[in-house]
Amino acid sequence: MTTWALDIQRGWRLGLVFVVGLVLLAAVLIVTVALNPLTILTFLLSLVAIAALAGAGVISYWLWGLVNASYTMDRNAVVIHWGGYMHQIPLAEIREVLRGSEVEGLRLQSLFCWPGYLVGRGSAPALGQILFYATQSLDAQLILRAESGTYAISPIDREGFITAFSERVELGATQDVTAVSTHPAFLDWPIWQDQMALGLWGSSLVVLALLVAGLCGLYPFLPPEIPLQITREGEILRMTGAGRIFYFALLGVLFLLINGGAGMYFYQRERDHAIAYFFWSGTLLLQGSLWVAAVAVLLNL
């Protein structure tokens, strides 16, 4: 089996620049939020910081795939390894190997790419859908057109790859192999196809985010002390500092983590997801109750 190297330096360096830039942006925003009073602006800056950190995490995962990328070939198959993805393409099913410069209208449709990192789906009029696992420009790629699909790769030694492919086809296979494609296991989790589960989770997150946004927007206008405990008749039992209004947001986070985690546990273990839906519905109801409690406090100012 021969391993064909690919040039990852450009994609790796640019990706690392993106990760460092996003982390630095998040750090600056977090410091800014910490040094300024809570307002709707600091809430929005916090959301941007979270998004920046999430983006850095996603790009780091892609870079892990790039660092662990390789192409291998023996007399039976070409195998593309890219992080958690693997495509085994039997040589007997490969109809032709084309240079990217020979294909008209070749394009990558995925938005998740940068110079030195071209991964995703694309197309060409004469070939249809193409899976790209490459690090060089379209003209520097090789296109493997097989029965199981069409793949774009970018070995450094393109001419050597084409020659080796022809030699192995002439020698013939040593054993029968089938086309195999694998991907990260988390992509197969049933929850991604469960609209009810995603709806409950999404609704809980939105209700919590709106609560935090509302509290941040009103906080600058609150008096130094607010009523924390009130009787049904409206009698104030306890006054506390205005900052404690955010206890409602903290409780919302705890409800989301505890109930959400419990629901996920039962969702993964039980075929009947009713218990998970019960926990997640309860999370949404608890988030709503926090809104009611916060409004009751604010109305008694």
Side-chain angles (χ1 to χ4, degrees):
M1 179 177 290
T2 305
T3 299
W4 301 86
L6 62 162
D7 184 7
I8 69 170
Q9 294 303 315
R10 187 183 187 188
W12 163 255
R13 290 169 182 168
L14 279 176
L16 188 60
V17 168
F18 296 151
V19 171
V20 172
L22 288 171
V23 171
L24 289 177
L25 173 62
V28 170
L29 292 175
I30 290 171
V31 171
T32 302
V33 169
L35 295 178
N36 286 276
L38 289 172
T39 63
I40 190 65
L41 177 60
T42 54
F43 169 76
L44 294 175
L45 292 178
S46 299
L47 289 184
V48 175
I50 293 171
L53 290 175
V58 171
I59 296 176
S60 297
Y61 176 75
W62 291 343
L63 289 180
W64 170 78
L66 178 61
V67 170
N68 291 278
S70 67
Y71 314 124
T72 59
M73 185 191 338
D74 58 18
R75 290 170 59 179
N76 303 306
V78 173
V79 181
I80 301 171
H81 293 278
W82 202 284
Y85 293 83
M86 186 277 292
H87 299 279
Q88 176 178 278
I89 314 163
L91 258 63
E93 293 188 3
I94 299 178
R95 295 292 169 253
E96 58 182 336
V97 178
L98 302 169
R99 293 175 176 83
S101 57
E102 300 173 347
V103 181
E104 296 182 357
L106 185 65
R107 61 176 180 170
L108 179 67
Q109 296 169 337
S110 172
L111 299 177
F112 308 113
C113 62
W114 59 85
Y117 184 93
L118 290 87
V119 178
R121 295 185 179 274
S123 65
L127 300 174
Q129 292 294 312
I130 304 171
L131 288 177
F132 286 79
Y133 291 97
T135 61
Q136 297 185 48
S137 63
L138 299 176
D139 289 343
Q141 295 174 13
L142 293 178
I143 312 299
L144 309 181
R145 188 173 70 84
E147 294 178 4
S148 57
T150 304
Y151 303 85
I153 62 175
S154 60
I156 295 175
D157 185 5
R158 289 183 294 157
E159 300 303 323
F161 186 95
I162 294 173
T163 300
F165 171 78
S166 299
E167 291 174 350
R168 284 163 172 75
V169 169
E170 290 182 3
L171 290 171
T174 60
Q175 60 183 10
D176 291 331
V177 296
T178 59
V180 177
S181 294
T182 61
H183 51 257
F186 73 86
L187 295 177
D188 291 326
W189 289 355
I191 194 171
W192 305 126
Q193 307 298 324
D194 191 330
Q195 294 184 358
M196 178 176 289
L198 295 177
L200 291 172
W201 266 98
S203 299
S204 296
L205 285 172
V206 168
V207 171
L208 176 59
L210 291 175
L211 174 63
V212 177
L215 295 178
C216 288
L218 291 172
Y219 181 71
F221 307 101
L222 295 179
E225 290 192 337
I226 59 173
L228 191 63
Q229 291 184 335
I230 307 169
T231 65
R232 293 182 178 180
E233 292 75 24
E235 181 182 354
I236 298 174
L237 298 179
R238 181 185 175 189
M239 298 291 290
T240 188
R244 294 198 175 185
I245 193 71
F246 290 98
Y247 279 9
F248 294 114
L250 177 60
L251 286 173
V253 173
L254 291 177
F255 291 155
L256 190 66
L257 293 175
I258 296 173
N259 277 34
M264 185 62 70
Y265 172 81
F266 287 106
Y267 191 91
Q268 295 289 353
R269 291 182 61 90
E270 304 290 339
R271 291 185 178 181
D272 185 358
H273 298 154
I275 298 179
Y277 296 148
F278 171 79
F279 275 103
W280 294 334
S281 298
T283 303
L284 184 57
L285 291 174
L286 289 170
Q287 301 287 5
S289 69
L290 291 174
W291 265 93
V292 173
V295 170
V297 170
L298 295 172
L299 288 177
N300 282 274
L301 293 178

